[in-house]
């Protein structure tokens, strides 16, 4: 098995995506028994050969500006690129040997025009520790505030605690993890933006790791959320969902125990799907394919 080298963009070292898809993914590789190391794209690559290099999403601009260097590195190594939620430009496939997919829908899309696509799905955050935590709060949104789709119901909107996460520098908001496990529900509806690519359901995975239930507006058919949660997920906000009073909101969240049980079964599935054990199996398959 060839050595695995994770390569991150030096200017994005502290971003959330680098933490999750480089540093934490390297830890998962260790769990799988895969030897790896982490370097930045500022190193001298001339001494590296016979290795598998996995470039993070933020290396995109650097790779396109250093095409000659990429060709030299590729001559002696196997190069892989993880676009994550970036919009993937088809010409980038000519720079790399393997393209990673962090979500099911991304894998389906990339497989249509990329010769070699390998799924390594997104995992839940390592540092979420829900065991032994008694729930004491109702519902919260965790993420960039600008991405939150505000509910039309003022009663529902008013009970959502908003925890802004600075995804560009994870060091500024590490306390969100201790809060996430305290909530019965995580609100995950987000605004879609033109620059969004295929986004893994990270908020859902983190809610599952927090032993919480996700609440969201019914997603579009064949979206990642729809694929993972299913058509009959009981905590979709429908057009006819009654959220016209605080009592109606409370009834929607808490009234029916069978709905909560069904939702928790689905959340357990998400927790297993995004676990280090599940991702380590995918990494082993990736290494076998790449080698």
């Amino acid at each position: 098995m060839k050595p695995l080298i994770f390569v991150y963009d030096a200017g994005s070292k502290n971003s959330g995506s680098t933490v999750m898809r480089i540093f934490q993914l390297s830890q998962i590789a260790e769990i799988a028994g895969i030897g790896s190391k982490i370097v930045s794209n500022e190193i001298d690559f001339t001494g590296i050969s016979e290795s598998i290099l996995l470039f993070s999403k933020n290396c995109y601009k650097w790779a396109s500006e250093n095409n000659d260097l990429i060709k030299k590195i590729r001559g002696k190594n196997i190069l892989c690129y993880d676009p994550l939620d970036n919009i993937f430009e088809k010409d980038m496939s000519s720079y790399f040997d393997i393209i990673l997919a962090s979500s099911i829908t991304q894998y389906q899309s990339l497989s249509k025009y990329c010769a070699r696509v390998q799924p390594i799905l997104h995992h839940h955050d390592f540092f979420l520790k829900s065991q032994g935590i008694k729930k004491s709060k109702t519902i919260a949104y965790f993420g960039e505030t600008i991405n939150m789709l505000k509910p039309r119901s003022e009663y529902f909107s008013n009970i959502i605690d908003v925890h802004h996460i600075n995804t560009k520098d994870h060091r500024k908001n590490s306390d969100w993890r201790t809060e996430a496990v305290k909530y019965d529900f995580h609100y995950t509806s987000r605004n879609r933006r033109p620059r969004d690519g295929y986004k893994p359901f990270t908020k859902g995975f983190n809610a599952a790791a927090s032993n919480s239930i996700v609440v969201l507006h019914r997603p579009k058919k064949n979206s990642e959320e729809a694929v993972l949660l299913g058509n009959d997920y009981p905590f979709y906000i429908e057009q006819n969902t009654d959220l016209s009073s605080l009592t109606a909101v409370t009834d929607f969240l808490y009234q029916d125990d069978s709905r909560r049980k069904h939702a928790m079964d689905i959340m357990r599935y998400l927790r297993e799907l995004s676990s280090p054990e599940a991702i380590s199996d995918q990494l082993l398959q990736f290494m076998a394919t790449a080698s």
Side-chain angles (χ1 to χ4, degrees):
M1 188 178 290
K2 296 179 184 293
L4 175 61
I5 301 174
F6 290 90
V7 186
Y8 65 87
D9 173 64
S12 308
K13 181 178 181 180
N14 295 311
S15 71
S17 63
T18 301
V19 169
M20 293 289 281
R21 293 291 282 185
I22 295 291
F23 290 94
Q24 288 195 17
L25 202 55
S26 176
Q27 290 179 265
I28 294 178
E30 185 177 342
I31 292 171
I34 301 169
S36 68
K37 67 177 181 179
I38 301 172
V39 301
S40 83
N41 59 349
E42 292 183 339
I43 68 162
D44 181 0
F45 287 93
T46 55
I48 297 178
S49 62
E50 296 300 315
S51 298
I52 300 169
L53 276 62
L54 199 166
F55 289 85
S56 71
K57 78 164 190 174
N58 290 315
C59 287
Y60 174 88
K61 183 179 179 182
W62 170 84
S64 62
E65 293 174 349
N66 293 273
N67 198 6
D68 290 341
L69 174 60
I70 288 292
K71 288 179 180 178
K72 290 180 181 178
I73 302 170
R74 189 178 181 186
K76 299 185 292 182
N77 302 279
I78 296 173
L79 304 194
C80 311
Y81 175 58
D82 180 15
L84 194 53
D85 55 357
N86 274 352
I87 292 178
F88 184 77
E89 302 292 343
K90 293 183 180 180
D91 62 342
M92 284 297 288
S93 62
S94 64
Y95 297 176
F96 299 96
D97 300 291
I98 300 174
I99 307 300
L100 300 189
S102 62
S103 66
I104 295 169
T105 48
Q106 185 180 47
Y107 176 73
Q108 294 169 340
S109 175
L110 292 179
S111 296
K112 294 175 182 177
Y113 54 83
C114 294
R116 300 178 71 183
V117 183
Q118 187 69 30
I120 299 181
L121 302 184
H122 212 290
H123 60 279
H124 60 246
D125 194 290
F126 271 5
F127 297 104
L128 287 165
K129 306 297 181 183
S130 62
Q131 191 170 1
I133 300 295
K134 186 176 180 180
K135 301 294 184 185
S136 59
K137 300 183 179 183
T138 301
I139 187 167
Y141 172 86
F142 296 90
E144 294 275 4
T145 307
I146 194 174
N147 289 336
M148 177 182 170
L149 178 63
K150 190 173 181 180
R152 291 182 179 179
S153 165
E154 63 176 305
Y155 299 99
F156 188 42
S157 183
N158 287 341
I159 71 165
I160 298 174
D161 296 336
V162 178
H163 294 265
H164 174 74
I165 297 177
N166 187 330
T167 59
K168 292 183 174 59
D169 191 341
H170 74 99
R171 299 170 300 177
K172 296 181 178 180
N173 41 238
S174 59
D175 61 335
W176 71 268
R177 297 178 180 89
T178 60
E179 288 298 309
V181 298
K182 298 176 182 177
Y183 287 88
D184 286 327
F185 301 93
H186 286 199
Y187 177 71
T188 62
S189 289
R190 67 186 311 277
N191 289 306
R192 294 292 300 179
R193 293 182 290 176
R195 64 184 182 86
D196 287 344
Y198 287 92
K199 285 191 171 292
F201 193 30
T202 313
K203 286 181 174 60
F205 295 151
N206 286 339
S210 302
N211 201 30
S212 304
I213 293 171
V214 293
V215 178
L216 67 162
H217 293 80
R218 178 174 286 277
K220 291 183 178 179
K221 185 178 180 181
N222 298 324
S223 67
E224 191 71 9
E225 291 91 336
V227 169
L228 292 174
L229 296 174
N231 187 57
D232 63 345
Y233 182 71
F235 284 95
Y236 288 144
I237 301 172
E238 311 281 8
Q239 287 188 352
N240 62 350
T241 300
D242 183 9
L243 301 173
S244 60
S245 66
L246 186 57
T247 299
V249 171
T250 303
D251 286 348
F252 169 66
L253 295 176
Y254 289 106
Q255 188 177 50
D256 190 339
D257 288 340
S258 64
R259 291 170 65 246
R260 287 169 57 82
K261 182 181 182 302
H262 180 38
M264 284 305 300
D265 287 342
I266 295 172
M267 298 311 293
R268 277 190 288 272
Y269 161 69
L270 293 190
R271 185 163 64 245
E272 292 171 4
L273 184 69
S274 60
S275 68
E277 293 77 17
I279 307 305
S280 65
D281 287 344
Q282 294 171 24
L283 270 169
L284 285 169
Q285 293 174 17
F286 159 73
M287 292 298 292
T289 300
S291 297

